[in-house]
Amino acid sequence: LRDAAAVDRLKQIDGSELRLNGLGTRAVLFIQGYAAGLYLTERAGSGPGVINVKGPKRLQIRMMRQAEAADFRKAFINGMRKNAGEAGLPALKERIERFETVIDTIGAVRKGDTINLDFVPARGMVMSLNGNAKGRPIEGADFFNTLLEIFVGETPVDSNLRKGLLGL
């Protein structure tokens, strides 16, 4: 992954320069699902550190295999519910449902597709597929932070992916 020619070290979002915080891959058994890069305005080496970074953020996912919308949606939504906990779910419910709808409208993602999950403080989370925005922004830092916790929180989907995104 670190040798991939497609890896950009810098991104511009909402007038802010973001730097690559870390890279990782998501694998189940020996099957590589996707590579991910986390971009922040300042370096963070812990889950809480990532959440506390101010300004725009980007989680970029590059697919290494095809995934159906239902599988993609299930993974994201289950991860968000797990990290939000029962107490946090009611406040996120409507936004999670909107996110599910956006994922469903995308359909299958293919090997080589790039998904950006950008947080722009004044707008919320903007999802794009291969550079094309999908759906309308989903407001709230709480929503985006819950999404990030899937990857860098205390109970991540993949501990090796977490280490990579945190640059450990």
Side-chain angles (χ1 to χ4, degrees), residues 74-84 146 149-150 155 157:
K74 182 180 176 184
F76 270 110
I77 303 312
N78 286 345
M80 289 185 77
R81 287 185 173 132
K82 180 179 175 182
N83 283 289
T146 301
E149 287 179 355
I150 296 170
T155 54
V157 67

Side-chain angles (χ1 to χ4, degrees), residues 16 18 25 38 71 128:
S16 295
L18 280 65
T25 57
L38 178 62
D71 297 329
S128 65

Side-chain angles (χ1 to χ4, degrees), residues 80-98:
M80 289 185 77
R81 287 185 173 132
K82 180 179 175 182
N83 283 289
E86 292 301 317
L89 278 178
L92 298 172
K93 184 179 184 306
E94 185 269 332
R95 292 175 285 166
I96 288 174
E97 289 169 357
R98 284 185 17 221

Side-chain angles (χ1 to χ4, degrees), residues 80 91-92 95 98 118-126 137-147:
M80 289 185 77
L92 298 172
R95 292 175 285 166
R98 284 185 17 221
D118 293 339
F119 178 69
V120 180
R123 294 176 46 208
M125 186 201 72
V126 178
I138 299 174
E139 66 281 344
D142 60 334
F143 178 84
F144 192 74
N145 289 338
T146 301
L147 185 73

Side-chain angles (χ1 to χ4, degrees), residues 40-57:
L40 304 170
T41 56
E42 62 186 69
R43 175 94 178 87
S46 69
V50 169
I51 300 303
N52 290 326
V53 169
K54 303 293 183 211
K57 301 173 187 176

Side-chain angles (χ1 to χ4, degrees), residues 85-136:
E86 292 301 317
L89 278 178
L92 298 172
K93 184 179 184 306
E94 185 269 332
R95 292 175 285 166
I96 288 174
E97 289 169 357
R98 284 185 17 221
F99 187 45
E100 287 178 299
T101 300
V102 172
I103 293 170
D104 286 342
T105 62
I106 290 173
V109 287
R110 293 164 184 49
K111 182 177 180 178
D113 281 350
T114 299
I115 300 156
N116 288 328
L117 301 170
D118 293 339
F119 178 69
V120 180
R123 294 176 46 208
M125 186 201 72
V126 178
M127 181 176 184
S128 65
L129 176 65
N130 298 324
N132 299 308
K134 301 295 180 182
R136 60 187 171 104

